[in-house]
Amino acid sequence: MDDLAISEGYSVYGPYRTWYRVTGDLGSAKLPLVVAHGGPGCTHDYVDSFKDIAGFGRAVIHYDQIGNGRSTHLPDKGGDFWTVEFFLGELDALLAHLGIQQRYALLGQSWGGMLAAEHAVRRPSGLKALVLANSLASMKLWVEGAGQLRAELPAAVRQALDRHEADGTTDHRDYLSATRAFYDRHVCRVVPWPAEVARTFAAIDADPTVYHTMNGPNEFHVVGTMRDWTIIDRLPLIEAPTLAFRGFFDEATPACVQPFLDHIPTVEGHVFPLSSHMPHVEERQDCMAVTEAFLARHD
């Protein structure tokens, strides 16, 4: 990785700036890979490991979505501002700024996969391959799956979650501790969390505007503006070859991913047996190999 070119910059979207980083050569014959992080409201840090794919001769582009990380922060904006359409426009602006809008691959992780699917159903001509990583086709299915996983937690943890949600005290330390018990099972099973994962969660704590507005206080108590989102009925519109993967212990349960496998015309699935929501961290080498093998088939 040390001999790969790395460049950083900003693309402009209206009055706002989107920070990005390119690892590798955008002039490569291989499809450049754009990585859309999750949340909504995370940063690129926790998906940083996808830069490994640049070692195969493929340019990899990370970016922080507006509202987060090194991009423009807008803590005074509300739910009418933070919409799927806003983030789709930001992605289009980034592709145009980089000059790759006619030929690229897109990987979206978790919420990033929701965004990537929304991008793909619009059938952009330049999208040549799509990776839906640990993502979901319906928030209803996500919440149902989270409820099932939550029911398997120790009784004391469940009781703490129930009590503080009922009381509206989801910032209480006991609630946060119980939340972490869920995360250690179903979000990232590497304990302690790697530094890049910890950085993302620290960034959310520092500015939770987007995450709290669109999602809610955590991964399983979804009360934000995206709570009724679904793309199931539009999935047949996706033309790009698609890889949809998840971890065996993932908070993205099989039911969340199954509509991708049922309704996207050209799709393949994969399950990482030792991972939860972050196989790019938990089974890093295997995740990169599977992802690159898929992309290479569509260069």
Side-chain angles (χ1 to χ4, degrees):
M1 294 294 294
D2 292 342
D3 58 349
L4 290 172
I6 299 174
S7 61
E8 298 182 12
Y10 290 92
S11 64
V12 175
Y13 180 42
Y16 315 118
R17 298 203 311 169
T18 300
W19 173 89
Y20 67 85
R21 184 191 69 209
V22 180
T23 306
D25 180 9
L26 279 176
S28 169
K30 293 191 172 187
L31 289 169
L33 175 65
V34 178
V35 179
H37 65 68
C42 289
T43 65
H44 80 283
D45 298 86
Y46 83 99
V47 287
D48 184 68
S49 59
F50 283 110
K51 68 187 180 187
D52 293 358
I53 289 176
F56 295 99
R58 183 183 311 283
V60 178
I61 300 99
H62 284 82
Y63 72 106
D64 285 337
Q65 294 160 25
I66 290 170
N68 307 285
R70 304 179 191 181
S71 297
T72 303
H73 286 241
L74 298 162
D76 297 328
K77 297 293 187 182
D80 58 339
F81 180 85
W82 301 112
T83 63
V84 169
E85 288 70 25
F86 176 82
F87 289 108
L88 287 172
E90 179 190 28
L91 175 58
D92 286 342
L94 175 65
L95 295 171
H97 175 83
L98 295 172
I100 61 173
Q101 68 270 37
Q102 297 306 316
R103 186 175 178 273
Y104 60 96
L106 177 62
L107 183 152
Q109 201 277 339
S110 196
W111 143 256
M114 299 161 67
L115 181 65
E118 288 275 10
H119 180 78
V121 298
R122 288 157 171 79
R123 296 181 170 178
S125 61
L127 178 62
K128 304 305 182 184
L130 175 69
V131 182
L132 302 174
N134 317 97
S135 196
L136 57 146
S138 156
M139 196 62 85
K140 179 176 182 288
L141 294 175
W142 175 273
V143 171
E144 290 174 353
Q148 295 165 2
L149 297 175
R150 182 167 161 163
E152 299 170 1
L153 293 169
V157 175
R158 299 197 310 270
Q159 290 163 8
L161 295 173
D162 293 341
R163 180 171 65 254
H164 289 290
E165 287 171 3
D167 293 344
T169 52
T170 55
D171 57 350
H172 192 281
R173 64 182 182 184
D174 291 345
Y175 184 81
L176 299 177
S177 177
T179 297
R180 182 60 185 260
F182 180 95
Y183 284 19
D184 285 345
R185 286 188 178 202
H186 302 298
V187 177
C188 182
R189 293 168 70 87
V190 178
V191 179
W193 284 348
E196 65 271 22
V197 175
R199 283 198 303 272
T200 282
F201 281 95
I204 296 173
D205 290 342
D207 185 353
T209 305
V210 181
Y211 188 72
H212 285 184
T213 300
M214 297 182 73
N215 186 78
N218 57 48
E219 293 292 276
F220 49 82
H221 189 45
V222 180
V223 293
T225 56
M226 294 292 290
R227 61 187 177 274
D228 297 322
W229 177 87
T230 182
I231 200 168
I232 292 175
D233 60 338
R234 292 175 287 149
L235 291 175
L237 295 172
I238 295 179
E239 295 177 329
T242 303
L243 169 66
F245 67 69
R246 60 180 295 275
F248 181 80
F249 302 98
D250 208 325
E251 59 179 341
T253 59
C256 291
V257 178
Q258 193 60 44
F260 296 144
L261 305 178
D262 290 342
H263 300 300
I264 297 176
T266 306
V267 65
E268 54 191 270
H270 188 85
V271 178
F272 291 96
L274 305 179
S275 295
S276 58
H277 200 50
M278 299 187 187
H280 57 276
V281 173
E282 297 160 294
E283 294 179 76
R284 181 168 176 165
Q285 187 172 356
D286 286 349
C287 184
M288 300 307 136
V290 168
T291 302
E292 170 58 25
F294 167 76
L295 295 173
R297 291 197 292 274
H298 302 288
D299 279 325

